[in-house]
Amino acid sequence: MSFSGIGSGGVGVRHYQINNMAVEEVTVTSRGVSAETEAGGPFINNVPKEGSNTFHLTVAANGAGSGMQSDRITDELIARGVTSAPSIKRVWDYGAGIGGPLQEDKLWYFVAARSWGSENYAPGAFWQNKTDPAARGGLIYVADASRPGYSASPQVEGSGRFTWQATPKQKVGAFVSYEYFCNCYIGVASTRSPEASPMLRRYPALVQGKWVYPVTSRLFFEAGAALQRLKLPGERAEGVAANDIPILELSTGLRYNAGGGPVIIGAGNVYGQYTNHSLNEVFSVSYVTGSHAFKAGVQNLQGWQDFNYEFSPIEYQFRLGRPAAIQEWASPNGFRSRIKSILGIYAQDQWTRDRLTLNLGVRFDYNHGFNPAIAFDAGPFVPARSFPDTEGVNWKDISPRLGAAFDLFGDGGTALKVSVSRFVSQNNWSTNRALSPSNAATLSATRAWNDADGDFTPDCDLRNALANGECGQLSDLNLGLTRPSTIYADDVVTGWFTRQYSWQADASVQHELRPGVSVMAGYYSTFYGNLSVTDNVAVTPADYDPYCITAPSDARLPGGGAYQICGLYDVNPSKFGRISREVKPSSEFGGVGLFTQGFDVAVRAQFGDGGLLQGGIAGDHSVYDYCLTGLGATPMAPQPAGGGSPLPSTDPSASRVLPEDMCRTTLRLADDIQVKFSGVYPLPWFGLEASGVYQNLPGFPNQATYNAPNALIAPSLGRNLAGNTATAAIGLIEPFTSFEARVSQLDVRVTKVLRFGRGRVRASLDIYNAFNARTVLSTNATYGPAWLRPTAILGGRMFKIGGQLDY
């Protein structure tokens, strides 16, 4: 039974975090997922612990402090502007689990509690020193070197499982859990100071119940239900007042002074209340013989999602410390969204005949949503608004799941496995709530700001959407209007086979080289379908004027820079701010394709007296290509239709409507190879056991977004940017052509086990990043003084100690 909240990004969001003190085992399915799931990709099943007639106790603790990690940074990082290394304040994980009988042979319990989390300093992140005269009361960022910024993620969970043997063949289980989790100063980095970072507290509660009944040795029934409730209040960072204005420095991408915009759209703070509840019911019947296994079942889920939030209604945008633009927000705002039913009915049949095993499955998926009416009070820039209830998504799909395994030589040593399956996308909430008028209406718009008198105060009427005083016209005149600025075509949100989907196919061969040693080689591919495009019907191709710019001269840019970048467009001033988007199938404009293929080669070897080595190499190649013809159609970043993360649109102008036929192919090829190995071996000294994990991963892809000033653009455009816009964001390099160094990391553990009677004590020493690598994990993508400055670095070598008692 799913315990994920149905989240904003499309796929299930795991608000509830697993307490491993309550887990007996975990099974993972990576490919060839059965008809029991609607989406593809990795499928994880957590089997909880349950009590027995014997009392059991487990107590575990491990942790590390700031003095247990290397703080050395390399000269290369210092040269790139890194002033401090990422480091931990502390890491902790304490827990206990107790289980036993309440009534022998009849009723058992298992209860567990756990507290865990970490506090981590972010390199280059410091609180703002607003008292410094140079800060001008917080308008100009001055770092407080005495207050480094850090993120914290404390979690506490308590759970209980009770099992009742109702009859000799029928058993009932119940699981109850309550949890507290805080994303404190979420997103703090060298590009977001702590006071501009939100504090999101989560309070998920989970209740599950299940009944199982093996009628005979072949016939098996099971049924269950799961209820998850989540409350997520958002708070301002410490010391931030309600009237503090968020500020974005365009030349460096730094956000400071306060948080701005709701978290759900990737900006800053969200202040309000978010709730997400879901109810999941399942029933299945299985019939199993030695060579035949049949299973059929039904799953149904209902969901409720409410978001009422207030956030800073205005954000200042500076360039090189001078006012350039203002972003206005439609605050207060929010949405209410309901999923009436996510229904799945499935059947699968597995047969074994001689050397061939076939798995044939089929699944029917039905998804029906609804958006209740909602109303908001007037805000600084918007009037009081009310939105009626609306119908949501209404999708129906039938998906086959086909798999086969064949014993090639009849000796059980070599197996060929293939599967071909269709999966639907889990974009339940994201698309459904997009149909709500309150969520479809424009939430923000920008306007130019010419601070002629240099007082850092916009001398204009910000409630007037047209140009006045020091302020230009809003980029979207729909701000605050009840008319939604985006509508969805019926054949995107309703009907048979209109939902985003994927076809996944894979083939592998597994061969036993000798007893205890095997090798596997596999190929897989995924094709995504029913992708969409957004068309701005308020304008035509004739409403856009082309221009070029010359990239800055910079040795870090291809060829040293100073090259021409063309294919850029700006809307005619008479049509500036006119936006009426329609989301339509990409097939109406020529089609959008997303295809991924890859390979895996893995080995597994048992050796010596208890030694194990396993791992391998994997690589993938993704192609996202589109050839769109029509009135300003631009590709939407496709959502995963089960498994993997599809590529976003990487065209530098994809955020703007293009006035000519657009054919481009984006390839994600370079350096996308992963190498991973793990091993364990009992040492011959003092009963110690050593284990380790090595991984070598692709480097971070760099980007360069240049906020080009109007003065650079106007000569080519023949006029100023529409709306007297101060800057235009332009990509300077082709995506996936510049990478940081690959990530190479080794983690090791040494364990000692002591036994006494029914109990044992396990002591461990962990060493993370044993090579003490300082690989850059992400960089500042804003071209300017801070471009390519690392925003995240692999943490230095860290030691952690722990122990566990089992009785």
Side-chain angles (χ1 to χ4, degrees), residues 223-515:
L227 172 66
Q228 178 175 266
R229 297 179 61 85
L230 170 72
K231 292 184 178 180
L232 194 157
E235 304 172 8
R236 294 175 175 86
E238 176 185 344
V240 176
N243 60 351
D244 285 344
I245 297 175
I247 300 174
L248 168 63
E249 172 53 57
L250 295 172
S251 66
T252 62
L254 173 65
R255 295 183 180 273
Y256 61 96
N257 198 50
V263 150
I264 56 167
I265 58 173
N269 277 2
V270 53
Y271 314 128
Q273 182 68 48
Y274 170 65
T275 58
N276 186 325
H277 309 319
S278 60
L279 176 63
N280 188 17
E281 308 100 6
V282 298
F283 173 80
S284 67
V285 56
S286 301
Y287 182 80
V288 181
T289 67
S291 61
H292 177 215
F294 173 82
K295 185 174 185 178
V298 59
Q299 304 158 341
N300 191 43
L301 185 146
Q302 304 89 47
W304 303 261
Q305 190 180 43
D306 290 353
F307 210 161
N308 293 284
Y309 51 81
E310 296 185 12
F311 42 89
S312 176
I314 189 173
E315 175 187 86
Y316 289 169
Q317 297 181 358
F318 295 167
R319 187 174 186 274
L320 300 176
R322 300 296 302 172
I326 295 171
Q327 187 169 28
E328 296 181 19
W329 293 86
S331 176
N333 209 75
F335 57 83
R336 302 176 67 193
S337 186
R338 304 286 183 267
I339 294 294
K340 293 183 177 180
S341 177
I342 299 177
L343 176 67
I345 302 174
Y346 66 90
Q348 59 186 34
D349 204 7
Q350 179 175 297
W351 291 83
T352 299
R353 289 291 182 270
D354 297 326
R355 292 187 286 167
L356 177 65
T357 297
L358 289 177
N359 190 82
L360 309 177
V362 65
R363 180 182 177 92
F364 167 75
D365 284 294
Y366 169 73
N367 192 320
H368 187 195
F370 175 74
N371 295 292
I374 193 171
F376 307 105
D377 296 332
F381 305 124
V382 292
R385 293 157 296 148
S386 61
F387 300 91
D389 54 23
T390 58
E391 278 296 312
V393 298
N394 193 325
W395 289 313
K396 306 176 186 69
D397 287 90
I398 295 178
S399 301
R401 309 286 168 85
L402 310 174
F406 184 68
D407 183 353
L408 285 177
F409 305 115
D411 58 0
T414 307
L416 170 65
K417 304 175 183 180
V418 296
S419 70
V420 178
S421 300
R422 184 184 190 273
F423 300 95
V424 295
S425 171
Q426 284 187 308
N427 54 350
N428 305 304
W429 282 120
S430 55
T431 303
N432 186 74
R433 77 181 192 191
L435 300 176
S436 168
S438 68
N439 204 54
T442 301
L443 291 180
S444 69
T446 58
R447 65 195 315 164
W449 176 14
N450 177 22
D451 187 31
D453 55 9
D455 63 354
F456 285 81
T457 300
D459 298 319
C460 61
D461 180 7
L462 293 174
R463 293 183 63 89
N464 183 350
L466 301 178
N468 69 98
E470 294 182 343
C471 302
Q473 178 180 309
L474 277 178
S475 60
D476 192 335
L477 299 177
N478 293 332
L479 181 70
L481 298 181
T482 57
R483 179 176 62 86
S485 59
T486 303
I487 61 175
Y488 282 70
D490 287 343
D491 48 359
V492 171
V493 296
T494 62
W496 282 90
F497 305 110
T498 58
R499 185 177 179 179
Q500 290 184 14
Y501 69 91
S502 68
W503 278 100
Q504 296 186 7
D506 59 88
S508 64
V509 175
Q510 189 170 3
H511 176 65
E512 184 183 53
L513 298 175
R514 63 179 180 82

Side-chain angles (χ1 to χ4, degrees), residues 536-690:
N536 185 3
V537 298
V539 295
T540 69
D543 296 323
Y544 282 79
D545 300 320
Y547 67 90
C548 302
I549 70 164
T550 300
S553 295
D554 192 318
R556 298 169 298 175
L557 290 173
Y563 46 81
Q564 284 280 297
I565 301 176
C566 295
L568 306 171
Y569 298 87
D570 186 62
V571 70
N572 189 284
S574 64
K575 294 296 182 72
F576 182 78
R578 298 179 183 272
I579 297 177
S580 181
R581 303 183 184 92
E582 293 186 8
V583 179
K584 304 175 181 179
S586 64
S587 57
E588 294 187 16
F589 300 90
V592 175
L594 179 60
F595 177 76
T596 298
Q597 59 183 342
F599 69 90
D600 292 303
V601 177
V603 297
R604 177 184 174 89
Q606 295 173 300
F607 61 95
D609 187 14
L612 173 65
L613 176 67
Q614 57 185 356
I617 183 172
D620 68 62
H621 161 101
S622 298
V623 178
Y624 177 38
D625 73 291
Y626 45 87
C627 188
L628 302 176
T629 304
L631 303 181
T634 60
M636 296 179 64
Q639 296 181 1
S645 298
L647 297 177
S649 172
T650 52
D651 188 280
S653 302
S655 62
R656 297 183 292 278
V657 178
L658 301 182
E660 61 182 22
D661 294 353
M662 180 174 62
C663 292
R664 186 164 302 188
T665 299
T666 299
L667 302 179
R668 182 181 175 181
L669 297 172
D671 212 21
D672 206 4
I673 302 293
Q674 298 187 15
V675 180
K676 297 182 180 182
F677 283 91
S678 66
V680 59
Y681 191 76
L683 300 175
W685 315 290
F686 313 109
L688 299 176
E689 182 180 84

